[in-house]
Amino acid sequence: MIWGSGYSDTATIRVFYIYIYIKLFLNLLIKLYFCLIWFPLSVLCLLFLSSVALSEANVLQSTVNIKKLQGILEEGLKSKDVSTLYFAIKGFKLLNATIPDVCEDLKNAKYDLTNIEHVFYFTNAAALSNCRNILKPDVLPTPTQTLDKKDATLQELYYAVFALKAMGKGTIYDKEDGLKNLIQLLKKDDSPANYGYVFALCEHMGCGAWTSSHAEGVLLAADESDSRALHFEGGLPVTALLLGTISRTYKSLKKPSPLNEEQRYKFANYITGRSVSTPRGAALLLEAANALANDEPSPISITIKGKKYVTSESDSVEFSITDIIGRPVRGLKPEEVIAQSATRLADDVVVLSKQPLTQKPNDPTTYVLNLSKIKAQYGLYKISLSAGSKTANINVAVLGEIQVGSLEVGIGDVDGTTSPKITTITYPNKLSETLQADHLQKLSLKFSVRDKFNKPVSVQQAFVRVAPVAAGAPDSLEAIYVAEPSANTYRVELNVGAIAKHLNYASGAHSLTLYLGDSAVSNPIAWELGEVIFNFGRDANAVGLPVRGSVASVRVPLPEISHQFRAAEARPARAVSDVCACACAAPLLLLLALWARLRPRLATPPPSALLFHLALAGSLGLYVMFWLRLTMFETLRYLAPLALLTFLSGHRLLRRLAQDKAQAR
């Protein structure tokens, strides 16, 4: 091995080592700057934006579909699998529905007596359906042996304890010793799922005070998605377990819920946004929803029930105000449900204020808003509806009938040298004669749209369709043009020469059709105006396209599209690559050159030289590992002792070299 016991120039080696350390620390400081300055700022910005977005959502947009879940549970009762039967029975219990006689089905179900999870499902399904008489002594050994296992997991202990409880054996655990054992296991793996098992076991053993002291911290560990939903790692099963056990524990302790309003609605958004298709998913969804629905105050949903519009014959809209599972909101009085305002979206005019809703007889979740005051005012409205302290904005359409005033069709020169020839028609009549226009003329249409009270109105959709009349013409030849509103009228001007390209220069007879529609219109109009013969002149032949009568020639294969990858960028010259390679290898070449100049020799190294070179090699190796896999903080942690050791041993080595040099003189 090469050791530096015969150096002739200590200053050079000092400069080299200083260069290496400066380079390493500069890289670390740059990364530390970005991690400690920019990363926290970006996190704070994201938190601020998410909090602003969530502050706007204080009601639910939907509820849990109880009828769908009940149908899924009914199908689950037909299964022969013990876990499916258990979740189906549990779901019926959560719905407070009558559980059919399933004792014979449970007896014939498929399960493994040596599997603690199967035993849990079998015993608890029997207990929930009042079929304990089918439980035989051969079911007891598995949960008992599980409790005696030294390496039993929290999930296995949960299954074993509640299996014994279902058989009427009570708890095996002593309250204090059992809790200590659970806490020790929780220290090994403190996942949300394990906290859920411990909370459930505490609920059974009577150590709910420990649950209440840790519940808030566990709730803060929930994951957030889309800035509007909260759930725990593990998905719906873990979320349902934690919400259910926390809710029941706090109720038994007569303490207020640890969930704040924001957390309630975020968990509720996650639950209502879940789609399940199995009895297990349905039961878990009901468990989580019941936990929130039984909380105080419960998240509420405000939605339109049935039709979202008002007509001249029907002047009321129904709203559904419920909790997350479709029940009436506790503590909500009918007089607290008020339409604070109704604003017409077209001009932001408030047309209604502080109008109370009427609770529908025999249906406490349905409230009726009478809009007879505005049913004659056609348009879209934003209803601001409050239920107690909660407010929701819901759009409602007031549908009205429209009619077209007299429509004028004019044909004149493009340059306006002559007055256009005007033809007037009334809805629903057609043009009495076929009009003609060539490529030097323009076709103009002018009409007005009015409501049933003969007041001018505007519509969202006003189009004129131009299409060939000949049979067999391809649909691609038609063109649709927007009618622009102008001073209570709509206008369309078609320059015949300009629209020729849209119609593939196919001269001949074309039909004109007017389309009027709106989201607040009860009678959309499609009015066929008549026919116009367009003559596109020589342009049809000039561009080499088919003229009228050769429609089949339009349907020809299009040119083949061949994809071409982008050409590779030019690479640098060989000399540039060689220079860069030499620059990268310069530190190593410099080290070898210095060693050659300083004439190192093989000798038995002193301890200081051995420690110095080992520490230096370790630092360089750590520098390599930093770029390959280590994080900045791990690198700094390992570098600190190495740097201290390198400094002390290097200082001692250099002092010894100086002494040797002085003695040699």
Side-chain angles (χ1 to χ4, degrees), residues 165-180:
K165 179 184 176 183
M167 290 187 286
K169 300 299 181 181
T171 178
I172 301 297
Y173 275 139
D174 176 73
K175 177 180 177 180
E176 295 183 2
D177 293 340
L179 182 57
K180 290 179 181 178

Side-chain angles (χ1 to χ4, degrees), residues 17 69 71 162 258 354 358 390 414 420 430 510 541 561 578 592:
Y17 291 139
L69 296 182
F162 280 91
K354 302 290 184 180
T358 305
K390 303 300 177 184
V414 174
K430 295 184 178 181
H510 289 71
N541 297 327
I561 299 175
D578 293 341
L592 296 176

Side-chain angles (χ1 to χ4, degrees), residues 91-104:
F92 270 88
K93 198 75 173 179
L94 291 169
L95 290 173
N96 293 323
T98 303
I99 301 174
D101 186 6
V102 293
C103 295
E104 197 64 29

Side-chain angles (χ1 to χ4, degrees), residues 258-568:
L259 289 168
N260 58 40
E261 183 181 26
E262 182 179 342
Q263 288 174 325
R264 288 189 189 96
Y265 278 94
K266 285 184 176 181
F267 278 117
N269 283 330
Y270 172 74
I271 293 168
T272 55
R274 293 282 298 183
S275 177
V276 297
S277 58
T278 63
R280 180 175 183 267
L284 294 173
L285 196 66
L286 284 171
E287 183 178 7
N290 275 337
L292 293 176
N294 295 328
D295 206 348
E296 292 289 349
S298 171
I300 69 172
S301 167
I302 302 178
T303 57
I304 288 185
K305 186 177 182 180
K307 61 184 180 67
K308 300 181 180 180
Y309 56 86
V310 175
T311 63
S312 57
E313 292 79 17
S314 174
D315 55 8
S316 62
V317 178
E318 294 183 351
F319 293 89
S320 177
I321 303 178
T322 66
D323 63 8
I324 189 174
I325 57 176
R327 300 181 307 191
V329 178
R330 294 187 302 275
L332 179 65
K333 300 177 181 179
E335 57 269 20
E336 294 179 333
V337 182
I338 300 172
Q340 298 293 341
S341 64
T343 306
R344 189 164 52 235
L345 297 180
D347 50 13
D348 290 334
V349 174
V350 178
V351 297
L352 182 148
S353 178
K354 302 290 184 180
Q355 180 171 326
L357 277 71
T358 305
Q359 190 176 42
K360 195 171 183 180
N362 303 322
D363 189 356
T365 64
T366 302
Y367 294 81
V368 181
L369 175 62
N370 191 302
L371 296 176
S372 58
K373 295 181 181 179
I374 62 172
K375 69 177 184 180
Q377 304 179 35
Y378 150 91
L380 290 176
Y381 293 83
K382 181 178 70 175
I383 307 295
S384 178
L385 187 67
S386 65
S389 61
K390 303 300 177 184
T391 303
N393 294 322
I394 302 174
N395 289 341
V396 174
V398 176
L399 301 185
E401 297 180 1
I402 59 172
Q403 55 188 355
V404 184
S406 58
L407 184 143
E408 297 179 354
V409 181
I411 295 179
D413 295 335
V414 174
D415 55 9
T417 55
T418 59
S419 299
K421 180 182 178 182
I422 303 298
T423 303
T424 303
I425 56 176
T426 57
Y427 180 79
N429 300 322
K430 295 184 178 181
L431 291 168
S432 58
E433 59 180 354
T434 301
L435 304 180
Q436 296 187 9
D438 59 30
H439 62 285
L440 299 178
Q441 295 178 310
K442 66 178 180 179
L443 173 70
S444 60
L445 292 91
K446 177 183 177 182
F447 60 92
S448 62
V449 183
R450 300 179 177 274
D451 61 13
K452 59 186 297 185
F453 304 101
N454 204 32
K455 294 181 179 179
V457 295
S458 59
V459 292
Q460 296 170 348
Q461 298 172 341
F463 306 113
V464 174
R465 174 177 175 265
V466 182
V469 177
D475 294 337
S476 60
L477 293 180
E478 71 175 17
I480 296 178
Y481 302 94
V482 179
E484 300 292 344
S486 174
N488 295 331
T489 61
Y490 285 85
R491 294 176 179 273
V492 179
E493 289 194 356
L494 305 178
N495 187 322
V496 178
I499 69 173
K501 58 182 178 180
H502 301 149
L503 300 171
N504 206 29
Y505 295 91
S507 300
H510 289 71
S511 64
L512 299 179
T513 307
L514 176 65
Y515 294 98
L516 300 175
D518 195 286
S519 58
V521 168
S522 59
N523 63 326
I525 293 175
W527 180 13
E528 189 173 346
L529 304 178
E531 297 181 3
V532 178
I533 298 176
F534 289 125
N535 180 10
F536 299 126
R538 298 180 180 179
D539 290 340
N541 297 327
V543 296
L545 294 173
V547 296
R548 194 70 187 170
S550 59
V551 174
S553 61
V554 176
R555 299 176 178 175
V556 295
L558 296 176
E560 181 181 357
I561 299 175
S562 58
H563 181 73
Q564 183 177 3
F565 289 97
R566 185 178 64 181

